[in-house]
Amino acid sequence: MIQGAWILSIVFLGLAGIGLIVLVHNRRQPVPTKQPCTDQWRYFVQPQVNDASRVVGYECLLRKKQADGTWSVPQEDNNLTLGQIRQLLVPTFSQLPETPISLAVNLTYAQIVGHEFANFVHWMMHQIAPLYLTVEYRSDQVPGRLQQYHFLQNIRAAQDFGAKFAVDNVGSDLQALKHIEWLLPVVDVLKCSMAAFRKDDPSIWLHLNLGFWNQLAKERQINLVLTGVETEEDAALARQLKIQFRQGNLVGEPVEMPAVIPPTTQTALQRPRDNRHVEHIE
């Protein structure tokens, strides 16, 4: 009786040991990250112009498919890999003019510091030549010093290869300045959205107005782009402040780039086709 109980205990201990080994093994297996379906994303393209209404570049704007089949601005940062972004961008390339102007793509912090970034920049520059890549980034945080170093190192490497770096959607409060101060040594372009500077009530105080950003850009030899230009009043303000570059629906609405139609059958983007109507941002 005692011997049977002893054998049974050994069996139970053995089974428990096997279960523990299986549990530890499974915990050590990497949990696959669920990747977003690229069918739910698409790039639209919007022109940027100078004060003479000459096209100086295009921005690729990522849109997400909604339940009703429409495409809208995503409410959250995308978690696409750069490989997936490459896949989504390819249909736009055949639509672009063969002129040395900018093609801007907005990337997240994680995408810029990731190990794929250098290859992405090289691939883009090769694919879109003679256009050049502008990497756009919207800064809503100040990372630690080590993270800042790694980010800036990647941006400088991209600039060495011929790309530009733009900080997008700078606002009218002091926090906006704090979020981009660490980036200023590498910034080529600052983009201010009119939405942050319109005042329905004249008594509203803006800590940082467009004049401030305009002056900062001139002092640091940075190109300033006014985005979200929707009305003639917006355009008049840009002229008054001598802001040379503009983007918005008044300038040109985003154009959908079909992701499933072969390039040879795609509808051509309505755009200038020769150097008389395009201009490089110097």
Side-chain angles (χ1 to χ4, degrees), residues 124-137:
M124 278 289 295
M125 294 291 288
H126 175 74
Q127 291 290 325
I128 67 176
L131 288 85
Y132 62 89
L133 172 66
T134 297
V135 175
E136 290 195 5
Y137 172 65

Side-chain angles (χ1 to χ4, degrees), residues 98-119:
E98 294 186 1
T99 50
I101 59 177
S102 166
L103 183 66
V105 179
N106 207 305
L107 299 180
T108 65
Y109 175 86
Q111 290 161 348
I112 292 173
V113 299
H115 67 277
E116 297 179 64
F117 179 69
N119 287 337

Side-chain angles (χ1 to χ4, degrees), residues 18-194:
I18 293 171
L20 181 61
I21 291 171
V22 171
L23 178 61
V24 171
H25 176 75
N26 288 340
R27 282 190 171 183
R28 287 180 177 176
Q29 298 304 308
V31 178
T33 303
K34 186 178 180 181
Q35 297 294 340
C37 177
T38 54
D39 292 343
Q40 300 302 308
W41 299 89
R42 185 167 295 178
Y43 274 107
F44 286 57
V45 175
Q46 186 173 41
Q48 298 172 354
V49 302
N50 67 6
D51 51 4
S53 298
R54 294 178 181 271
V55 175
V56 294
Y58 294 95
E59 181 180 358
C60 296
L61 300 169
L62 194 60
R63 297 291 183 259
K64 191 173 184 179
K65 193 172 186 178
Q66 303 303 308
D68 62 358
T70 60
W71 300 86
S72 63
V73 179
Q75 298 302 309
E76 72 287 340
D77 280 344
N78 74 81
N79 59 339
L80 296 167
T81 67
L82 289 179
Q84 290 171 316
I85 287 178
R86 285 167 61 159
Q87 178 184 343
L88 291 169
L89 282 170
V90 167
T92 69
F93 295 156
S94 65
Q95 309 294 314
L96 300 171
E98 294 186 1
T99 50
I101 59 177
S102 166
L103 183 66
V105 179
N106 207 305
L107 299 180
T108 65
Y109 175 86
Q111 290 161 348
I112 292 173
V113 299
H115 67 277
E116 297 179 64
F117 179 69
N119 287 337
F120 174 80
V121 171
H122 292 186
W123 176 82
M124 278 289 295
M125 294 291 288
H126 175 74
Q127 291 290 325
I128 67 176
L131 288 85
Y132 62 89
L133 172 66
T134 297
V135 175
E136 290 195 5
Y137 172 65
R138 180 175 299 185
S139 182
D140 57 4
Q141 61 177 334
V142 180
R145 289 190 179 276
L146 183 60
Q147 288 77 17
Q148 288 183 33
Y149 173 79
H150 186 39
F151 184 100
L152 296 176
Q153 189 179 44
N154 280 6
I155 292 299
R156 288 190 175 105
Q159 290 171 325
D160 289 343
F161 200 72
K164 302 291 185 182
F165 179 59
V167 173
D168 191 19
N169 210 40
V170 295
S172 59
D173 57 26
L174 293 174
Q175 203 66 17
L177 179 59
K178 292 178 182 177
H179 284 158
I180 73 161
E181 277 183 315
W182 65 282
L183 294 166
L184 287 176
V186 296
V187 172
D188 299 299
V189 180
L190 276 177
K191 301 184 75 173
C192 293
S193 173
M194 271 303 304

